[in-house]
Amino acid sequence: MASQRESGTFRQTGAPELRKEQGVSNVETLDTKEQLRRLLIPEVSLKPFSELSAVTYDHQGSQLAGHLLLDTLEEAGFGIDDFDAVGALTAAAIPLAISMVQAAASRGQDLDAFVMDFVYPGIKGPSVRGERVFLLDAWLSEKSYVQTSSLVTLRNGNELSLDFGILQREGAEVLGIASLIGSTRSTEGIEAVNPLDGSRHTLPFVRVFDEDEFSAVNPERESGAGDSARVAVDSDAKEGQ
């Protein structure tokens, strides 16, 4: 019998009566990026900032985010073979880092994750010595107060300085910054300054969605979109009973 990895399926769990064949819903036929956008609308539109936890910890949102972050990085010229690990800059990015690890594994690729230590300058996770890494956040923009070790914002232009210096000290090569949602005034990327030697580095900034994509959206008009995306499978299962 073919292994689950070879067949592309996972072993079903739970009570037998709950193992229903899932039909294809209208939401599931949407482009994956549009599915995620609809989940994000209530968490982003007309809000000054959000950690996006309602989406990144959601079973469907997590899967979509992990795969779309990998896809977006590849579109920006960074395939899964071009980096070895992703590092969460903030607590909000931890579920995204895990989602990317799982998405990579489903594609037969190895990817590690780590977290920047917010108390003592360092990292939590496997060693990154000699590794090529991307730093990761959920929503990174000029209006978000980024809770990194350096505790400053994009307005200062060097909010990643301490984190960047830590990773260089650990022997890692920082390839760039990725986020689910983001914006910056600079078209070149985000500048990081190594506090140890003062050297400056412009890092590519790759995001799945630009912040402006949500600025004109009325969350009340589309508030049902996110809910429908989450319950679509459950609704189909009930209709089949």
Side-chain angles (χ1 to χ4, degrees):
M1 183 176 67
S3 67
Q4 290 171 353
R5 176 181 289 274
E6 292 172 345
S7 64
T9 62
F10 293 97
R11 178 174 59 85
Q12 291 186 326
T13 59
E17 63 270 18
L18 297 179
R19 301 176 189 176
K20 302 294 184 180
E21 192 70 29
Q22 296 178 347
V24 177
S25 69
N26 291 333
V27 173
E28 290 173 316
T29 62
L30 293 174
D31 174 81
T32 54
K33 188 172 182 178
E34 177 61 17
Q35 289 183 50
L36 184 57
R37 189 188 76 87
R38 292 192 178 198
L39 289 176
L40 287 168
I41 285 172
E43 306 306 313
V44 179
S45 301
L46 305 181
K47 292 186 179 181
F49 183 66
S50 167
E51 291 191 338
L52 310 179
S53 300
V55 174
T56 58
Y57 283 99
D58 175 78
H59 66 284
Q60 186 178 23
S62 174
Q63 292 181 59
L64 292 170
H67 282 285
L68 283 168
L69 279 162
L70 291 180
D71 292 345
T72 304
L73 282 171
E74 186 171 32
E75 291 167 4
F78 300 96
I80 189 65
D81 293 326
D82 297 322
F83 56 99
D84 308 296
V86 288
L89 280 170
T90 67
I94 294 174
L96 289 175
I98 300 303
S99 295
M100 292 181 71
V101 170
Q102 294 175 336
S106 74
R107 302 178 183 194
Q109 300 284 343
D110 295 329
L111 182 67
D112 288 332
F114 62 92
V115 182
M116 299 304 301
D117 194 322
F118 312 131
V119 179
Y120 179 80
I123 70 164
K124 296 178 180 178
S127 172
V128 293
R129 183 164 299 280
E131 302 287 88
R132 303 158 300 169
V133 307
F134 254 90
L135 291 172
L136 180 66
D137 210 342
W139 185 351
L140 185 57
S141 76
E142 294 186 355
K143 67 183 182 181
S144 62
Y145 284 84
V146 185
Q147 297 300 309
T148 64
S149 306
S150 48
L151 294 176
V152 292
T153 74
L154 275 174
R155 293 186 183 88
N156 297 327
N158 63 347
E159 80 297 335
L160 302 175
S161 296
L162 187 53
D163 304 279
F164 183 80
I166 289 169
L167 288 168
Q168 284 203 325
R169 183 193 68 192
E170 295 284 341
E173 177 188 359
V174 183
L175 300 181
I177 317 297
S179 69
L180 199 55
I181 299 174
S183 71
T184 178
R185 294 177 185 177
S186 172
T187 58
E188 298 179 357
I190 296 177
E191 184 179 63
V193 182
N194 189 328
L196 298 179
D197 58 17
S199 59
R200 294 178 177 272
H201 306 263
T202 300
L203 301 173
F205 182 30
V206 181
R207 58 268 201 186
V208 177
F209 297 97
D210 193 277
E211 191 176 68
D212 292 340
E213 294 183 49
F214 299 91
S215 60
V217 176
N218 184 337
E220 293 185 358
R221 185 175 60 192
E222 299 199 39
S223 60
D227 293 337
S228 63
R230 289 190 180 89
V231 304
V233 173
D234 293 338
S235 296
D236 289 341
K238 290 179 180 179
E239 289 176 3
Q241 292 178 351

